Amino acid sequence: MTTRAAAAMLVVTGALAVPSMAAAQYSWGRPSEPNSGVCFYKDPEFRGDYFCVRDGENQPDMPRGMNDKISSIRIFGNASITVFQDSRFEGRSSRFDYDVPELKREGWNDLISSFRVSGGWGHSHHGNGHGNGRGHGGGNGSGSGYGNPDEVIQRAYEDVLNRAPDQEGLRIYRRHLVDDGWTEQQVRQSLRDSPEYRQRSMMTYGRAQEIVRQAYLSVLRREPDSGANGYVNNVMNKHWTQADVERELRKSPEYHGHRE
């Protein structure tokens, strides 16, 4: 083997060794957060020990002690992440370019076996100074760099509340995005702080029955009967609030009969 060939072989071998060396550095702890990258947490709401990776890093096989052990993900800077249920980037996958405080709600708690981290849509997280050129089409003078604020709001509502935004929500969050420079993450967090989200995430059948009962007492001044079952199902499955039930009850002949 010539000297030049031997040198080339050394360079290639060294390059191939870099990913495994980087993977070996991952360990649970409390490391510094990256300017652009992702941190993985053992517990929901970014609690407990964690490890972080910079954007551009891939992990085809999670290190020992980390496979299927991740419960929340925090995104920094320009990063986005694609997670895979199986090693070698196989099986079911999802992409996240926003913080995920509880992977269980996304159907991913303790299921990640491999991942790819890349430069995302360029939104700014946690005040780290990165710009937010979103990449959803051309700019429209929105001020926050989003291709279309309505698309951002629509996506956030569907992901967080499992429904389309109402006109009032569009108006409020469009103003925050355009005038106040909000990021999509701030819109999502605001939705997660809403009574509707808390009610939906904590909903049980008994709680749904109580919501309907209170609506009946407020509007019809009586206890609900078997006709209330449809309202209970709507609270459970369509995330109706007490106000939604009351609105429908006010359309009923019984309500109008009381008023006459």
Side-chain angles (χ1 to χ4, degrees):
M1 181 181 294
T2 66
T3 301
R4 180 176 296 177
M9 180 65 72
L10 180 61
V11 169
V12 172
T13 302
L16 292 175
V18 169
S20 62
M21 290 174 63
Q25 295 175 357
Y26 298 154
S27 61
W28 294 114
R30 304 295 173 97
S32 299
E33 298 165 342
N35 288 329
S36 184
V38 178
C39 290
F40 303 86
Y41 297 77
K42 275 189 175 182
D43 301 321
E45 303 293 342
F46 322 117
R47 296 193 304 267
D49 289 340
Y50 59 92
F51 70 95
C52 302
V53 299
R54 297 183 300 275
D55 63 18
E57 295 186 18
N58 300 326
Q59 185 60 45
D61 292 287
M62 295 295 287
R64 184 183 299 275
M66 296 180 179
N67 187 48
D68 298 338
K69 297 293 184 182
I70 299 167
S71 295
S72 55
I73 296 175
R74 176 160 277 175
I75 310 292
F76 296 87
N78 297 336
S80 66
I81 181 170
T82 303
V83 298
F84 300 82
Q85 188 165 350
D86 300 329
S87 61
R88 301 291 174 183
F89 317 119
E90 295 180 351
R92 184 168 67 98
S93 65
S94 291
R95 171 175 165 162
F96 301 108
D97 44 33
Y98 51 87
D99 291 349
V100 186
E102 190 167 347
L103 281 166
K104 182 177 181 180
R105 293 174 180 166
E106 306 285 347
W108 276 99
N109 189 51
D110 295 342
L111 289 176
I112 299 173
S113 295
S114 56
F115 62 80
R116 300 182 194 272
V117 179
S118 59
W121 293 343
H123 48 286
S124 175
H125 285 282
H126 315 300
N128 58 14
H130 289 278
N132 60 36
R134 260 259 178 218
H136 278 293
N140 60 359
S142 66
S144 62
Y146 292 101
N148 186 330
D150 286 1
E151 290 180 3
V152 172
I153 298 166
Q154 177 83 22
R155 186 166 55 245
Y157 264 81
E158 290 177 350
D159 288 350
V160 176
L161 298 181
N162 293 327
R163 68 173 177 85
D166 50 81
Q167 289 302 310
E168 180 68 8
L170 279 171
R171 183 185 65 79
I172 291 172
Y173 288 114
R174 189 185 294 123
R175 186 185 71 240
H176 283 312
L177 287 167
V178 174
D179 297 337
D180 301 332
W182 273 31
T183 63
E184 182 170 351
Q185 170 61 18
Q186 288 173 294
V187 175
R188 290 172 180 271
Q189 188 59 53
S190 177
L191 292 175
R192 290 190 185 99
D193 291 337
S194 68
E196 179 179 348
Y197 180 79
R198 291 196 298 271
Q199 177 176 298
R200 182 179 67 83
S201 62
M202 298 172 59
M203 187 57 61
T204 64
Y205 193 79
R207 182 173 175 79
Q209 287 180 310
E210 182 60 24
I211 287 172
V212 172
R213 178 175 180 270
Q214 292 301 322
Y216 265 74
L217 293 174
S218 174
V219 176
L220 301 181
R221 302 291 192 271
R222 67 173 177 85
E223 294 286 340
D225 52 24
S226 59
N229 292 336
Y231 295 122
V232 174
N233 289 333
N234 284 336
V235 172
M236 287 291 296
N237 301 320
K238 297 183 179 180
H239 316 303
W240 278 23
T241 64
Q242 181 176 329
D244 293 325
V245 179
E246 291 177 358
R247 182 186 64 246
E248 293 303 309
L249 289 175
R250 290 189 181 96
K251 298 177 182 178
S252 68
E254 179 179 353
Y255 175 75
H256 289 287
H258 287 325
R259 298 189 64 187
E260 293 175 355

